[in-house]
């Protein structure tokens, strides 16, 4: 590890001294610590920037593989499910920082950039990208972690640091493609916009045909572009969202499996149980027992 890696790992280690997820003084920033490796774990990542300052996460989405480590970050501008492998040990814990991505802030910055240089977002929208930790990003992340140690500094400086982070990301070569997705530009931008509608109506049911038609696309074209963006079909994306929400609900020891199934949009427990086991490798009841016993420590990525 180089001097920068040692410094940010030390800062993150102090902010996340125990295994699991840790809130920070900044609501949009969380830190995660793991001391054992995992393999092929499904995780529905919310929009954000993932920095891994010690250890490594390998995130697979269909045939695409992204690496997050001290040299690479991951940006997701929409919810995406990944299959994750990690490198972690008690002697060398995985230390990861997640900063929420703010679409409204990104759009505001983009408008300012456009006013200054007249640039336009490209039409090839994306919602996930991996990039190199260059000097400006390294410097910013170090300042951000230092700021999290003091309440006054955090309250005064953090909004500017978060805005600076969004600016740096949008200035990168794939920044225009991220903005194209936020602005629903081009065919893939229009498809990306439909993901929000799918998620908003995941509990009540929605017609994929109707969503494709509303986007002005044939069903085959819609499926093709959706899979290119999210690595899955629209139906599997919906299933993933429902099942990950169900897993979150199962952290409560008093909630029944049938209640959880109904809450996330399943009409019966049989189908829910089959699909839950297929995705997580355990029955919903076994998962609930583990989640209740180990609490946040079971959120391994």
């Amino acid at each position: 590890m180089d001097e920068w890696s040692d410094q940010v790992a030390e800062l993150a280690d102090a902010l996340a001294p125990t295994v699991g997820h840790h809130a920070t003084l900044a609501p949009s920033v969380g830190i995660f610590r793991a001391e054992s490796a995992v393999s092929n774990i499904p995780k529905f990542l919310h929009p954000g920037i993932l920095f891994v300052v010690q250890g490594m996460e390998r995130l697979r989405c269909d045939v695409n593989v992204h690496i997050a480590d001290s040299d690479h970050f991951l940006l997701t501008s929409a919810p995406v499910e990944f299959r994750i492998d990690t490198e972690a040990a008690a002697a060398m814990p995985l230390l990861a920082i997640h900063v929420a991505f703010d679409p409204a802030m990104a759009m505001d910055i983009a408008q300012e950039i456009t006013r200054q240089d007249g640039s336009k977002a490209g039409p090839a929208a994306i919602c996930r990208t991996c990039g190199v930790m260059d000097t400006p990003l390294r410097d910013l992340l170090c300042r951000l972690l230092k700021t999290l140690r003091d309440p006054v500094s955090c309250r005064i400086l953090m909004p500017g640091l978060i805005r600076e982070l969004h600016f740096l990301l949008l200035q990168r070569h794939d920044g225009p493609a991220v903005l194209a997705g936020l602005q629903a530009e081009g065919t893939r931008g229009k498809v990306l916009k439909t993901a929000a509608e799918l998620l908003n109506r995941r509990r009540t049911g929605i017609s994929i045909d109707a969503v494709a038609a509303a986007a002005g696309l044939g069903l085959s074209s819609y499926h093709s572009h959706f899979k290119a963006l999210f690595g899955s079909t629209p139906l599997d994306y919906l299933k993933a969202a429902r099942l990950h929400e169900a897993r979150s609900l199962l952290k409560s020891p008093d909630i029944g499996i049938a209640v959880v199934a109904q809450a996330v949009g399943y009409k019966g427990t049989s189908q829910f149980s089959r699909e839950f086991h297929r995705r997580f490798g355990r029955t919903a009841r076994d998962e609930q027992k583990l989640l209740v016993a180990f609490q946040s420590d079971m959120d391994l990525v």
Side-chain angles (χ1 to χ4, degrees), residues 62-256:
D62 194 26
V63 297
N64 297 290
V65 179
H66 305 284
I67 300 295
D69 57 17
S70 60
D71 294 318
H72 304 87
F73 70 91
L74 174 73
L75 165 65
T76 56
S77 59
V80 181
E81 187 186 42
F82 294 94
R83 289 274 173 174
I84 302 180
D85 306 319
T86 67
E87 291 181 0
M92 186 67 69
L94 171 72
L95 296 169
I97 299 99
H98 186 270
V99 183
F101 182 77
D102 186 336
M105 181 181 292
M107 294 284 283
D108 180 62
I109 293 171
Q111 290 173 2
E112 185 61 33
I113 293 173
T114 302
R115 281 195 293 269
Q116 293 297 320
D117 60 18
S119 62
K120 295 183 178 179
I126 60 174
C127 63
R128 51 188 165 87
T129 181
C130 193
V132 174
M133 290 291 295
D134 56 19
T135 300
L137 270 178
R138 284 184 162 213
D139 172 67
L140 175 61
L141 183 58
C142 189
R143 287 186 283 127
L144 186 149
L145 289 173
K146 288 180 179 178
T147 302
L148 287 172
R149 297 183 301 179
D150 177 65
V152 176
S153 297
C154 191
R155 186 169 64 251
I156 295 171
L157 300 177
M158 190 57 66
L161 290 172
I162 298 297
R163 188 173 181 84
E164 182 181 350
L165 173 58
H166 283 66
F167 173 75
L168 290 176
L169 294 172
L170 294 176
Q171 288 286 84
R172 301 177 71 90
H173 74 280
D174 47 9
V178 173
L179 284 170
L182 296 176
Q183 296 169 332
E185 293 184 359
T187 300
R188 285 194 180 173
K190 293 176 182 176
V191 172
L192 181 54
K193 188 177 180 180
T194 67
E197 184 178 1
L198 291 176
L199 292 177
N200 288 339
R201 296 181 59 185
R202 65 185 181 274
R203 295 183 177 186
T204 58
I206 187 170
S207 166
I208 304 298
D209 291 24
V211 172
L217 295 171
L219 190 59
S220 177
S221 177
Y222 178 72
H223 272 256
S224 176
H225 286 292
F226 194 98
K227 189 165 187 180
L229 284 164
F230 293 100
S232 68
T233 66
L235 181 59
D236 198 52
Y237 185 78
L238 272 173
K239 286 182 182 179
R242 287 171 177 162
L243 292 170
H244 281 281
E245 181 183 10
R247 184 177 181 273
S248 181
L249 292 174
L250 288 170
K251 292 178 183 179
S252 171
D254 301 321
I255 194 168

